[in-house]
Amino acid sequence: EPEVTQTPSHQVTQMGQEVILRCVPISNHLYFYWYRQILGQKVEFLVSFYNNEISEKSEIFDDQFSVERPDGSNFTLKIRSTKLEDSAMYFCASSEARVRGAYEQYFGPGTRLTVT
Amino acid sequence: GDSVTQMEGPVTLSEEAFLTINCTYTATGYPSLFWYVQYPGEGLQLLLKATKADDKGSNKGFEATYRKETTSFHLEKGSVQVSDSAVYFCALETETGANNLFFGTGTRLTVIP
């Protein structure tokens, strides 16, 4: 069965460093998402991406964050200058289309980001 | 704003016990409601969903009914198995058309033999 993959599974970085989290969505999917979960808190939506541009973003997704689909398969989340509070599990997801309640979002296993 | 409040865990049950994980939501209009499950080392997987009031979603013996009057979508299973040990997430998608999901905190379920 097709699945969303994410690399690395765990990333440790120092405060102020740039990180890139990578995701390979399911191949025929058109919509891509990033979510994050700070330990003990809710899973929060960050951004959705379609047709090579951001379609929605949350208040969390500020100028320190960017997303890109650099080739036909990868979908990346970049944090320019990491802060301690960026430590979280980051989940990538993809869906075939976007009709309310009709198309499942498929999630990857997550990348645990630890900022020291 | 739109949000989901989920029963906090962890929950530990013996095999064949009855499971309830509570979920309530706040949203305008008629959101779609979901339960996702995350097994160790895997991504979140859709377990079941309901898109309108009084709908019952069901899958793998799990059920949840969309209750508009109590703004709830509680997850139930009559007889849990060790293989049901996982983290369960309640989520909603708003009526407005943007299909980003609002999640709860997740509830870790451990089933012991």
Side-chain angles (χ1 to χ4, degrees):
Chain A
E1 187 175 325
E3 57 181 16
V4 176
T5 59
Q6 290 186 243
T7 54
S9 55
H10 190 192
Q11 172 95 47
V12 181
T13 189
Q14 289 189 324
M15 198 166 52
Q17 296 296 303
E18 174 184 286
V19 293
I20 297 176
L21 309 183
R22 300 180 194 281
C23 168
V24 179
I26 294 172
S27 62
N28 65 331
H29 285 187
L30 301 176
Y31 291 84
F32 314 113
Y33 313 83
W34 284 101
Y35 294 81
R36 78 172 186 191
Q37 185 180 29
I38 296 171
L39 190 63
Q41 299 185 24
K42 297 184 177 186
V43 176
E44 301 170 293
F45 168 75
L46 293 178
V47 65
S48 61
F49 191 85
Y50 168 70
N51 199 27
N52 281 320
E53 59 183 33
I54 290 172
S55 45
E56 274 106 24
K57 60 182 181 178
S58 71
E59 292 173 354
I60 303 167
F61 194 87
D62 61 22
D63 293 344
Q64 290 299 310
F65 292 89
S66 62
V67 289
E68 192 178 33
R69 189 150 160 84
D71 51 42
S73 58
N74 288 283
F75 178 51
T76 62
L77 173 70
K78 183 193 292 187
I79 309 175
R80 262 181 268 286
S81 177
T82 50
K83 303 189 275 284
L84 293 175
E85 54 265 38
D86 293 327
S87 295
M89 180 73 89
Y90 287 81
F91 294 103
C92 173
S94 68
S95 65
E96 252 184 280
R98 191 179 140 156
V99 175
R100 191 180 76 86
Y103 287 92
E104 178 180 349
Q105 292 187 28
Y106 290 80
F107 284 78
T111 292
R112 180 164 297 286
L113 176 66
T114 302
V115 182
T116 61
Chain B
D2 302 305
S3 67
V4 170
T5 301
Q6 189 174 340
M7 170 179 161
E8 294 192 17
V11 174
T12 301
L13 294 173
S14 298
E15 208 164 20
E16 299 183 4
F18 184 84
L19 168 72
T20 301
I21 301 177
N22 289 337
C23 172
T24 57
Y25 69 88
T26 301
T28 52
Y30 291 86
S32 295
L33 301 172
F34 306 85
W35 277 99
Y36 277 80
V37 58
Q38 185 180 30
Y39 300 103
E42 300 183 16
L44 282 73
Q45 304 171 22
L46 181 63
L47 179 61
L48 53 84
K49 68 179 184 183
T51 57
K52 59 183 189 295
D54 301 324
D55 266 4
K56 178 185 283 189
S58 60
N59 186 24
K60 300 182 182 179
F62 291 89
E63 292 183 339
T65 301
Y66 186 161
R67 302 279 188 209
K68 179 71 172 169
E69 63 277 13
T70 55
T71 60
S72 64
F73 192 57
H74 304 321
L75 182 69
E76 296 181 334
K77 186 174 185 183
S79 175
V80 293
Q81 305 301 311
V82 172
S83 57
D84 294 326
S85 298
V87 182
Y88 292 82
F89 293 88
C90 185
L92 74 80
E93 179 186 298
T94 64
E95 193 179 20
T96 59
N99 71 337
N100 43 287
L101 297 170
F102 291 84
F103 283 90
T105 52
T107 301
R108 181 176 298 280
L109 170 67
T110 302
V111 180
I112 53 177

